[in-house]
């Protein structure tokens, strides 16, 4: 084990962390609204949109991510170049930064995964709550924003955490598109002196640290989103308590609601 090389490669790998984080969170943020719309369409069984969404999700989930990357990076630029030339546009398609192709691939893949996460989360909310909200005059958007989404997010958070961690690990395949992320830097440096053991050990530790930080973030997020349950649990548990507990129960209930707000 070359410890001097480990220290050297660690410094270089740390420079690739911003690229890895961009490859993780930009596709994640871009995918969130589209995934939610697909989930709602499938839950409410909107005829054409639900069917198209189902085919799209099945296609993305049924093909390996590495194949999607190779298709996007090898075939799509050539097709785009043919289209540009046919239109007489003077634009160098092959000069586009490959990180944008990576954004497209990871976004499309994440949309399919998160749509299933959100659909399962929406199914955990009793449909009668939505019906009750609509019956008192709330618009569908208001009903989802105030009633359905806060409850569904609590159920979706663990799976959302898993999806984010998997996406973070999947970004290691971006080196196939010449994107200089953590894995690409380590592989390139290791090729000069064949120090693959040290390089892979370093990126192994870096990914563990990054994934652990993501999990801690989602644990805190889940605790924050679950605050509304505090008052409900207090109300259920104290139904049979003596009257002198009523005032204390109310204070704790309103404290929980105020903290959530």
């Amino acid at each position: 084990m070359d410890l001097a090389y480990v220290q050297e490669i660690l410094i270089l790998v740390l420079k690739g962390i911003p690229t890895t984080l961009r490859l993780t969170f930009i596709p994640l943020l871009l995918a969130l609204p589209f995934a939610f719309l697909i989930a709602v369409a499938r839950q409410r069984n909107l005829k054409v949109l639900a069917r198209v969404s189902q085919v799209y999700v099945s296609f993305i989930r049924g093909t390996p991510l590495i194949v999607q990357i190779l298709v996007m990076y090898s075939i799509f630029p050539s097709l785009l170049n043919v289209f540009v030339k046919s239109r007489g546009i003077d634009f160098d398609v092959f000069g586009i930064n490959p990180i944008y192709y990576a954004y497209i691939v990871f976004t499309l893949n994440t949309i399919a995964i998160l749509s299933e996460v959100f659909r399962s989360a929406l199914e955990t909310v009793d449909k009668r709550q939505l019906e009750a909200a609509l019956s008192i005059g709330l618009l569908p958007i208001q009903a989802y924003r105030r009633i359905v989404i806060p409850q569904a997010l609590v159920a979706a958070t663990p799976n959302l955490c898993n999806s984010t961690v998997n996406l973070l690990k999947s970004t290691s395949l971006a080196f196939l598109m010449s994107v200089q992320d953590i894995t690409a830097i380590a592989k390139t440096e290791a090729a000069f002196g064949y120090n693959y053991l040290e390089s892979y050990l370093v990126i192994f530790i870096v990914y563990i640290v990054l994934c652990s930080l993501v999990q801690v973030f989602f644990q805190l997020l889940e605790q924050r989103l679950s605050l509304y349950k505090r008052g409900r649990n207090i109300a259920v548990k104290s139904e049979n308590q003596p009257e002198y507990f009523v005032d204390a129960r109310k204070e704790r209930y309103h404290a929980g609601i105020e903290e959530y707000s």
Side-chain angles (χ1 to χ4, degrees):
M1 180 71 66
D2 190 348
L3 297 180
Y5 177 79
V6 169
Q7 182 178 0
E8 179 184 349
I9 193 63
L10 177 60
I11 296 174
L12 295 175
V13 164
L14 292 178
K15 295 180 181 179
I17 291 180
T19 301
T20 297
L21 294 180
R22 286 198 300 270
L23 288 172
T24 302
F25 291 104
I26 290 180
L28 184 66
L29 294 176
L30 292 175
L32 284 174
F34 296 103
F36 183 76
L37 291 177
I38 290 176
V40 173
R42 297 189 64 184
Q43 186 207 24
R44 303 191 67 176
N45 197 23
L46 302 180
K47 296 180 181 179
V48 177
L49 187 57
R51 185 60 179 172
V52 172
S53 301
Q54 185 177 2
V55 172
Y56 167 75
V57 172
S58 299
F59 174 77
I60 294 296
R61 296 179 65 187
T63 55
L65 178 58
I66 190 171
V67 174
Q68 298 171 19
I69 290 174
L70 293 175
V71 169
M72 177 60 66
Y73 189 59
S74 302
I75 299 178
F76 181 75
S78 300
L79 295 177
L80 183 60
N81 184 61
V82 171
F83 175 79
V84 169
K85 296 301 182 182
S86 65
R87 298 292 179 177
I89 302 174
D90 186 15
F91 179 73
D92 183 15
V93 173
F94 299 103
I96 298 176
N97 191 330
I99 196 172
Y100 294 111
Y101 297 118
Y103 289 152
I104 295 173
V105 173
F106 292 131
T107 300
L108 294 176
N109 192 271
T110 306
I111 288 174
I113 295 174
L114 292 186
S115 66
E116 292 299 293
V117 171
F118 291 148
R119 187 169 68 92
S120 62
L122 291 173
E123 293 293 337
T124 64
V125 181
D126 194 339
K127 294 181 180 179
R128 290 175 294 183
Q129 296 190 41
L130 178 60
E131 295 172 356
L134 297 176
S135 67
I136 63 174
L138 290 180
L139 297 174
I141 296 179
Q142 295 175 321
Y144 272 96
R145 182 171 60 86
R146 298 181 181 181
I147 307 298
V148 178
I149 293 179
Q151 299 179 70
L153 276 178
V154 178
T157 301
N159 290 328
L160 185 59
C161 176
N162 291 335
S163 300
T164 304
V165 170
N166 289 333
L167 176 60
L168 177 59
K169 293 184 294 184
S170 297
T171 58
S172 61
L173 296 174
F175 79 91
L176 295 171
M177 294 181 281
S178 304
V179 177
Q180 293 300 305
D181 67 327
I182 293 173
T183 304
I185 293 174
K187 287 178 65 66
T188 302
E189 294 298 324
F192 290 108
Y194 295 95
N195 300 102
Y196 289 103
L197 176 61
E198 293 87 348
S199 297
Y200 289 152
L201 178 62
V202 168
I203 62 177
F204 176 80
I205 296 174
V206 170
Y207 275 114
I208 286 180
V209 173
L210 291 177
C211 292
S212 299
L213 291 176
V214 170
Q215 294 178 55
V216 171
F217 168 77
F218 276 99
Q219 288 177 356
L220 296 175
L221 179 62
E222 185 176 5
Q223 293 176 6
R224 175 66 180 174
L225 295 174
S226 301
L227 286 176
Y228 79 93
K229 291 184 176 180
R230 186 179 302 174
R232 185 177 63 183
N233 293 335
I234 293 172
V236 171
K237 292 180 181 179
S238 59
E239 286 180 353
N240 299 323
Q241 289 180 348
E243 293 184 358
Y244 53 81
F245 283 114
V246 173
D247 293 337
R249 176 177 61 81
K250 289 182 178 179
E251 291 180 2
R252 292 172 63 191
Y253 176 80
H254 291 296
I257 295 299
E258 183 178 355
E259 185 178 357
Y260 177 72
S261 302

